[in-house]
Amino acid sequence: EGTAGVKWVSGADNTGRDLPNISGVIVLSDVETGAVTAILDGDLITAVRTAAVTLAGARRLARPDSARIGFVACGVQARSHLLTFREHFPLKRAVLYSRRKETAEAFAKEITGLEVSVTTDARKAVEGMDIVDQIYSGYGEGAPRGKGPDQGRLNAEGNAYLMKDFP
């Protein structure tokens, strides 16, 4: 009796293909019969869940009056994170960096109600920000070795909170 599931996530550099770099699907099956009972869009679920975990960590680590957010990567995850963070912080400014400037510029065009700037220097998306959303760790050294944000700590704090309060 019950349900079992698997989440399949794949990644590829789809620059120039008009496809996301990360794609996923969730398949649920009946434990008793093995029959597939649902196939779900893993992209949306991943975006919502990841933003929620990051928010849980940020609410424990960031000041409640945090108004400036910097993004290091501007894909699907950045969009879900901004939507989520705007509900819980009085954001006024966003600084966007992505490997491809066009990606950050496209994200900037979607944002309303905030002062938005695009930078080609990842450091400018981090310096002076109250909250930094580093979606992709390959952009450089984060804390504790480098001067960048400690995304691992942020996610660990969020996961610990969720596991304690929402087992």
Side-chain angles (χ1 to χ4, degrees):
E1 179 177 323
T3 302
V6 63
K7 177 179 174 184
W8 175 265
V9 177
S10 61
D13 181 359
N14 283 320
T15 303
R17 292 189 184 124
D18 198 30
L19 294 169
N21 289 334
I22 298 172
S23 185
V25 65
I26 298 170
V27 178
L28 301 179
S29 298
D30 182 278
V31 172
E32 186 177 331
T33 67
V36 173
T37 57
I39 298 174
L40 307 168
D41 178 356
D43 296 347
L44 176 62
I45 293 168
T46 298
V48 171
R49 185 236 179 242
T50 304
V53 169
T54 306
L55 175 66
R59 289 178 69 177
R60 293 176 60 129
L61 297 171
R63 293 185 323 271
D65 64 343
S66 293
R68 299 166 301 189
I69 188 167
F71 285 90
V72 178
C74 295
V76 172
Q77 289 289 330
R79 287 159 173 79
S80 65
H81 279 68
L82 182 60
L83 286 171
T84 302
F85 276 63
R86 286 182 90 165
E87 293 292 319
H88 298 276
F89 290 97
L91 298 178
K92 292 182 174 46
R93 181 171 185 239
V95 179
L96 314 177
Y97 169 81
S98 207
R99 289 179 293 179
R100 293 177 45 243
K101 186 178 180 187
E102 314 79 81
T103 304
E105 289 171 338
F107 183 31
K109 288 178 184 174
E110 298 171 18
I111 299 172
T112 59
L114 295 179
E115 174 191 332
V116 180
S117 60
V118 172
T119 181
T120 57
D121 182 350
R123 291 174 295 193
K124 291 184 179 171
V126 175
E127 293 171 350
M129 296 297 109
D130 300 317
I131 299 170
V132 174
D133 203 30
Q134 179 191 357
I135 307 300
Y136 176 66
S137 63
Y139 287 137
E141 292 294 317
R145 296 177 308 279
K147 295 182 180 180
D150 187 348
Q151 189 74 11
R153 177 171 177 218
L154 186 65
N155 287 335
E157 291 277 344
N159 277 322
Y161 167 77
L162 290 174
M163 294 303 290
K164 180 179 153 252
D165 292 342
F166 302 98

